[in-house]
Structures are given as structure tokens and as C-alpha cells.
Amino acid sequence: MKTIDEMLNLALLTPDEHQQISSWIAQADTPDEILKMPPMLWRAVERASAVMGIDEDLLRPPALDADDIVSWLSST
């Protein structure tokens, strides 16, 4: 939901789209139910995701030093 809220704050979703998407997610009991969201709402999420670069973030290979960062964080 945080990402959807950020999309609204960045004006990448209209208030109506945000409300409909949030309601759909809230009523969904499973990820499969979320995937049944109407196509017009999916398109709105996809457009906003593209502008935010979410797909690129998910496809980026992990940093080679990621293990060091995790070890450092757990030691602090």
C-alpha cells in the first residue's frame, strides 16, 4: 500500500484510481485475488510503476557487496 500511496503523492495516480486500487487490494484475500484487478486499474499501476522505475529496480542484479552490507547492518 505504501507504493500506491507514493504513486498518488507523485500525482502518478488520480485520487479515484488510488481509491479503487487500494480498495481492491484491501478486499483481496490472496495475491491471486489482487491479480484479478480490472485491466484499467492494472494499466494505471503499470504506468506509474514505469515512471517510478520499479521494474528496473526489480530487474537490477544485486550488488556484489550486498552480503557485506547485510553483515554490517546486523552487527550494528
Side-chain angles (χ1 to χ4, degrees):
M1 294 296 280
K2 182 178 176 182
T3 301
I4 301 298
D5 292 343
E6 187 176 353
M7 290 173 173
L8 175 65
N9 291 331
L10 294 170
L12 301 174
L13 293 176
T14 67
D16 185 52
E17 289 169 333
H18 178 268
Q19 188 275 325
Q20 289 182 57
I21 293 165
S22 296
S23 294
W24 188 274
I25 292 169
Q27 63 85 32
D29 292 328
T30 66
D32 286 335
E33 289 296 316
I34 293 172
L35 294 174
K36 294 176 185 173
M37 188 166 38
M40 64 178 239
L41 297 179
W42 270 120
R43 284 191 294 275
V45 171
E46 287 171 346
R47 282 190 309 270
S49 296
V51 172
M52 292 176 70
I54 291 174
D55 290 342
E56 290 82 16
D57 286 345
L58 294 174
L59 296 174
R60 184 176 307 139
L64 296 175
D65 62 347
D67 289 336
D68 293 336
I69 292 170
V70 171
S71 325
W72 179 80
L73 289 173
S74 63
S75 67
T76 59

